[in-house]
């Protein structure tokens, strides 16, 4: 695979959503750690995003065995502390050595009514605590069919990145996730995914300059599997994947983390 411009190392992230107890999570990470070899980590960075209840267990395991898998969270609240029953603060995540935090996943926007304003506050909170946001953007099927995919995605970027400095952009990852492709088995074609990821990069160049545009990783997400990862990664502007269903099984996720290369 040719080196990407700006040395963008692909990031393969496993979003486990509301699956896996802490015991299941430990078992999956143990298998992953066993399957992935140094050459795999050289090709791509790997992160896992367990439920909040499993973060501490997974962190302990990764630390104890020096496993080079980054710990990620699926969400966060934007206040540091206070009377917010049921929420988890960025301070708590930072203390667990969480590196990446998904913000604005379409399931949060759809099922929990998260507005761009809330997503923006969460993103700024993640940055304030020196963690790295994975900002999710993407269109519905209706929006795609109406031909407004780019308007939607670029509008989300505009709203969600309010107040983010060019320096802070260095730690940001963007995940383009067409909503109609999430959990449906219907992946965007590599060409369609590439077109939107390229539009995201052009937007970044216009708003933050060429350096930020070249350096920012843009993942694709939506029914990524071991069978389609290689063709997605062959596109110039796709720098990894945010993987849901296929990340729950260690062997399938390891195959994706190898970017479709055979296990050695
Ligand atoms: P999927 O989920 O891989 O199951 O489609 C992707 C995501 O929601 O991040």
């Amino acid at each position: 695979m040719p080196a990407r411009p700006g040395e963008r190392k692909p990031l393969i992230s496993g979003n486990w959503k509301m699956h896996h107890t802490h015991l299941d999570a430990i078992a999956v990470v143990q298998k992953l750690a066993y399957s992935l070899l140094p050459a795999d980590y050289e090709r791509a960075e790997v992160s896992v995003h367990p439920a909040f209840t499993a973060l501490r267990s997974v962190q302990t395991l990764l630390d104890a065995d020096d496993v080079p898998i980054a710990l990620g969270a699926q969400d966060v609240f934007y206040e540091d502390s206070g009377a917010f029953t049921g929420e988890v603060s960025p301070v708590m995540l930072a203390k667990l050595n969480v590196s990446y935090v998904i913000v604005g996943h379409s399931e949060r926007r759809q099922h929990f009514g998260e507005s761009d304003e809330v997503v923006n506050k969460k993103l700024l909170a993640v940055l304030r605590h020196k963690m790295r946001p994975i900002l999710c953007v993407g269109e519905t099927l209706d929006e795609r069919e109406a031909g407004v995919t780019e308007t939607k995605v670029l509008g989300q970027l505009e709203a969600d990145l309010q107040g983010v400095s060019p320096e802070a952009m260095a730690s940001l990852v963007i995940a383009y996730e067409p909503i109609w492709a999430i959990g449906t088995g219907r992946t965007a074609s590599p060409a369609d995914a590439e077109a939107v990821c390229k539009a995201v990069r052009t937007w970044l160049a216009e708003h933050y300059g060429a350096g930020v545009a070249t350096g920012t990783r843009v993942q694709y997400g939506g029914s990524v599997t071991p069978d389609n990862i290689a063709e997605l990664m062959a596109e110039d502007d796709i720098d990894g994947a945010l993987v849901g269903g296929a990340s729950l099984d260690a062997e399938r996720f390891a195959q994706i983390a190898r970017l479709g290369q055979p296990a050695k």
Side-chain angles (χ1 to χ4, degrees):
M1 189 164 301
R4 268 150 214 281
E7 303 297 312
R8 296 191 304 269
K9 188 170 187 175
L11 173 63
I12 302 293
S13 304
N15 172 15
W16 292 348
K17 309 191 180 183
M18 201 173 69
H19 298 284
H20 289 336
T21 64
H22 73 289
L23 297 173
D24 300 331
I26 290 169
V28 173
V29 172
Q30 276 169 335
K31 279 192 209 154
L32 258 184
Y34 182 77
S35 301
L36 292 173
L37 300 175
D40 300 322
Y41 296 114
E42 260 165 50
R43 210 180 293 125
E45 195 184 346
V46 181
S47 69
V48 289
H49 300 248
F52 288 133
T53 49
L55 280 176
R56 173 66 175 150
S57 312
V58 172
Q59 180 224 352
T60 307
L61 176 61
L62 296 177
D63 284 359
D65 295 349
D66 264 331
V67 181
I69 294 176
L71 185 60
Q74 301 175 15
D75 187 27
V76 67
F77 193 56
Y78 49 75
E79 295 289 349
D80 288 357
S81 64
F84 301 103
T85 302
E87 293 297 324
V88 171
S89 94
V91 177
M92 297 167 182
L93 296 184
K95 261 281 182 251
L96 288 171
N97 296 339
V98 163
S99 306
Y100 291 97
V101 184
I102 298 171
V103 288
H105 191 281
S106 62
E107 286 153 16
R108 302 282 333 154
R109 296 179 191 256
Q110 277 189 315
H111 305 315
F112 303 96
E114 268 187 25
S115 63
D116 283 317
E117 197 190 340
V118 168
V119 172
N120 175 244
K121 283 184 179 175
K122 290 185 171 187
L123 189 138
L124 292 172
V126 171
L127 290 172
R128 204 164 59 236
H129 290 280
K130 310 281 178 262
M131 297 177 289
R132 312 185 67 171
I134 299 179
L135 170 64
C136 301
V137 291
E139 82 287 2
T140 62
L141 188 56
D142 284 353
E143 288 161 342
R144 172 154 286 264
E145 284 170 354
V148 295
T149 296
E150 285 188 18
T151 315
K152 168 75 179 292
V153 167
L154 305 183
Q156 286 179 319
L157 289 183
E158 182 93 49
D160 299 345
L161 294 174
Q162 288 293 315
V164 179
S165 67
E167 297 73 51
M169 287 298 287
S171 66
L172 194 105
V173 177
I174 294 170
Y176 165 56
E177 298 208 305
I179 296 169
W180 48 269
I182 295 178
T184 58
R186 192 176 157 193
T187 325
S189 71
D192 283 349
E194 165 66 13
V196 182
C197 292
K198 197 184 182 78
V200 165
R201 205 174 301 288
T202 304
W203 186 94
L204 289 172
E206 285 162 10
H207 290 74
Y208 285 97
V212 168
T214 313
T216 304
R217 288 177 297 183
V218 182
Q219 294 177 311
Y220 165 79
S223 297
V224 172
T225 66
D227 297 328
N228 59 28
I229 184 68
E231 58 182 22
L232 287 162
M233 289 304 303
E235 299 290 344
D236 287 346
D237 291 286
I238 301 178
D239 308 314
L242 182 53
V243 188
S247 72
L248 294 172
D249 175 78
E251 198 34 59
R252 294 188 80 207
F253 187 51
Q255 285 176 37
I256 295 173
R258 284 184 211 108
L259 311 182
Q261 308 284 315
K264 290 258 160 56

